[in-house]
């Protein structure tokens, strides 16, 4: 009986540790991409953003998206995906005003989504 209790406690500690590690690592990746988004927004505002630079930014999102889809609600990740797709069309057309609007939404979502990962009393109630 004691072995079963210890095995259960060890399993619980491992699950909690993995959850904390997931939140910390994904939050850092989202923070890094949000900073990158800020840099892209500055270039967009000055109308110096190239399609290649936008594609590099989007590729960074694709890498993070693959990890996010495992752990996060798909609706939030899907919304960011849609904004990147719309932004792609604007980047191809050099429509900097509309591209900036999409980037602003992406930036907001990149800051909001990690907030959803962190368990808090507000999320439970």
């Amino acid at each position: 009986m004691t072995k079963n209790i210890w095995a259960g406690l060890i399993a619980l500690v491992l699950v909690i540790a993995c959850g904390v590690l997931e939140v910390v690592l994904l939050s850092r990746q989202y923070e890094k991409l949000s900073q990158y988004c800020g840099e892209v927004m500055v270039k967009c505002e000055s109308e110096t953003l190239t399609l290649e630079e936008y594609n590099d930014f989007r590729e960074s999102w694709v890498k993070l998206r693959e990890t996010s889809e495992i752990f996060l609600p798909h609706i939030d990740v899907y919304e960011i995906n849609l904004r990147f797709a719309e932004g792609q069309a604007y980047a191809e057309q050099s429509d900097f005003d509309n591209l900036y609007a999409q980037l602003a939404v992406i930036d907001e979502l990149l800051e909001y989504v990690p907030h959803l990962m962190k368990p808090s009393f507000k999320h439970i109630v």
Side-chain angles (χ1 to χ4, degrees), residues 14-30 64 67-73 114 116-119:
L14 284 174
V15 167
I16 291 172
C18 287
V20 169
L21 187 62
E22 166 200 333
V23 168
V24 169
L25 292 177
L26 275 178
S27 292
R28 286 183 185 165
Q29 289 177 332
Y30 270 88
L64 178 56
T67 306
S68 296
E69 288 177 335
I70 296 170
F71 300 112
L72 296 176
L116 295 174
M117 289 186 285
K118 298 173 184 164

Side-chain angles (χ1 to χ4, degrees), residues 33 37 54 57 79-80 83-85 87 101-111:
L33 192 60
C37 185
Y54 182 81
F57 175 53
E79 179 66 26
I80 298 173
R83 298 301 177 157
F84 269 101
Q102 293 301 318
L103 290 170
V105 174
I106 290 169
D107 189 47
E108 183 68 29
L109 288 169
L110 290 174
E111 291 180 20

Side-chain angles (χ1 to χ4, degrees), residues 53-105:
E53 290 171 327
Y54 182 81
N55 287 336
D56 290 343
F57 175 53
R58 188 173 184 187
E59 186 60 34
S60 296
W61 161 246
V62 170
K63 290 176 186 174
L64 178 56
R65 180 190 72 198
E66 291 171 358
T67 306
S68 296
E69 288 177 335
I70 296 170
F71 300 112
L72 296 176
H74 290 289
I75 293 172
D76 302 314
V77 175
Y78 182 69
E79 179 66 26
I80 298 173
N81 245 6
L82 289 177
R83 298 301 177 157
F84 269 101
E86 286 183 53
Q88 182 73 38
Y90 294 132
E92 289 172 1
Q93 297 169 1
S94 298
D95 184 347
F96 293 107
D97 290 336
N98 284 318
L99 177 56
Y100 187 84
Q102 293 301 318
L103 290 170
V105 174

Side-chain angles (χ1 to χ4, degrees), residues 1-13:
M1 184 66 139
T2 306
K3 289 182 182 180
N4 288 341
I5 292 172
W6 280 108
L9 287 175
I10 290 171
L12 179 63
V13 167

